[in-house]
Amino acid sequence: MKDISEQDLNTNLRLVAKHGPTHRTIVSVGPAEIGGGRVVVMAGPCAVEGAEQVLEIAKQVKAAGAAMLRGGAFKPLTFPYRNEKMFELRERGLAFLQEAGRQAGLPVVSEVVDVRLVDMVAGYVDMIQIGSRSMQNFPLLEEVAKTGKPVLLKRHYGSSLRDWLGAAEYLLYNGNSRVVLCERGVVAPHTHQPASRFIVDLQAVPALHEFTHLPVIVDASHATFRREYVAPIARAAVAAGADGLILDVHPVPAQAAVDPLQALNYEAFGQLMGQVDGIAKVLGRTI
Ligand code: PEP
Ligand code: MN
């Protein structure tokens, strides 16, 4: 695996590369400004399960200080089976998410998994998520870039920073510089264990701030896969300088349609927000 060289920064990564120590991009998604003084917290269900469900979650996370609402409607599930317990609402889910965001006053982010659906998804969301599994789907990146919507680019769990920034470069090269990078854990040969499916690469946060002007956030939910670990890693991410967090929140986490092991309930989310606020203040930031 190649390291990022000076030459890369001048050629292959010329658009994402930082030009000078204070060069930073702030990505605005509605009123949320990612990469500025505020640590932006995006929160919501892994999968949108219904109109009332996502509206209630939206109001709860907003009251606790979240700046954006997340929710999956098209899920890149590991196995092809869907049933009454594990499902995705597809376009209906996007409409529910959009309406919940509107009523709660939160911009919304959701994933697009299929190049054929980019324009449809863009019609419902304020920010488009490229999931870990799609990070190097270059035609998808091109189409998403062309919508002009802000993009949340998750790191593939097997990718180097060089490959990840190369994917971001595709977005900028296709005319879209409103890109936020999201660390979500990487795999190593020993990580397919119940206690550590992924390793959270927190060093990526300061490393990316060294190489690129783009903001960096951390998904402490998908990175840890276990709710017991979400708060410690979220706190550490903010301490490491992350510009934001994305977190799964569900009223009854064990019953979540997707990823029931990692969601936080409202109480745990509220408590974490208080802690993150304290950490942000030490660093001269707010949430
Ligand atoms: C998600 O955020 O819902 C998700 C599927 O994450 P990732 O692509 O990081 O696995
Ligand atoms: Mn998930």
Side-chain angles (χ1 to χ4, degrees):
M1 204 182 283
K2 278 177 83 174
D3 210 352
I4 296 172
S5 66
E6 220 24 70
Q7 201 197 338
D8 281 327
L9 294 172
N10 292 325
T11 58
N12 297 323
L13 300 174
R14 71 186 82 167
L15 300 173
V16 299
K18 198 164 144 179
H19 300 294
T22 59
H23 182 199
R24 294 287 301 263
T25 288
I26 293 178
V27 175
S28 296
V29 188
E33 292 192 339
I34 308 160
R38 207 168 150 201
V39 176
V40 170
V41 178
M42 310 175 183
C46 180
V48 175
E49 295 170 23
E52 294 84 53
Q53 178 242 24
V54 69
L55 177 59
E56 184 202 283
I57 295 175
K59 289 179 176 162
Q60 292 277 347
V61 300
K62 165 92 181 185
M68 288 183 61
L69 177 65
R70 69 146 284 148
F74 292 87
K75 301 297 306 176
L77 300 180
T78 304
F79 304 106
Y81 305 105
R82 273 72 170 158
N83 53 46
E84 55 296 332
K85 280 218 173 105
M86 163 95 79
F87 58 86
E88 45 182 352
L89 291 182
R90 305 177 70 89
E91 187 167 358
R92 257 183 351 123
L94 289 175
F96 297 156
L97 180 74
Q98 181 186 46
E99 181 57 20
R102 200 188 59 75
Q103 287 198 38
L106 294 174
V108 303
V109 56
S110 199
E111 176 168 357
V112 63
V113 294
D114 184 334
V115 70
R116 294 167 297 188
L117 302 178
V118 169
D119 289 335
M120 186 276 285
V121 174
Y124 289 100
V125 302
D126 302 291
M127 180 179 223
I128 301 179
Q129 176 173 328
I130 303 280
S132 185
R133 291 153 190 81
S134 302
M135 186 198 85
Q136 281 188 319
N137 182 338
F138 301 120
L140 181 66
L141 295 175
E142 284 177 29
E143 289 308 307
V144 166
K146 287 179 195 158
T147 66
K149 293 268 177 179
V151 185
L152 185 62
L153 179 65
K154 290 191 138 192
R155 180 186 191 175
H156 187 273
Y157 44 74
S159 109
S160 64
L161 297 191
R162 187 170 183 262
D163 287 348
W164 186 11
L165 287 176
E169 187 81 7
Y170 265 86
L171 295 167
L172 274 70
Y173 178 78
N174 282 281
N176 192 334
S177 54
R178 303 166 74 195
V179 177
V180 175
L181 301 165
C182 179
E183 160 65 24
R184 50 80 69 224
V186 291
V187 292
H190 62 278
T191 54
H192 274 278
Q193 301 291 330
S196 60
R197 185 180 178 198
F198 302 109
I199 291 175
V200 191
D201 182 7
L202 285 183
Q203 188 170 328
V205 174
L208 289 168
H209 282 146
E210 180 186 335
F211 292 126
T212 178
H213 55 92
L214 299 172
V216 185
I217 73 165
V218 173
D219 183 337
S221 303
H222 288 84
T224 58
F225 197 60
R226 283 267 302 272
R227 86 180 107 265
E228 293 81 357
Y229 306 147
V230 171
I233 294 302
R235 294 190 298 252
V238 174
D243 298 301
L245 296 169
I246 184 165
L247 295 165
D248 285 8
V249 175
H250 193 281
V252 190
Q255 286 170 24
V258 181
D259 290 343
L261 298 180
Q262 73 196 25
L264 299 179
N265 65 22
Y266 300 139
E267 194 192 342
F269 178 68
Q271 192 179 28
L272 174 59
M273 288 297 278
Q275 295 166 343
V276 162
D277 186 41
I279 294 166
K281 283 207 179 86
V282 170
L283 298 171
R285 304 182 94 163
T286 53
I287 59 166

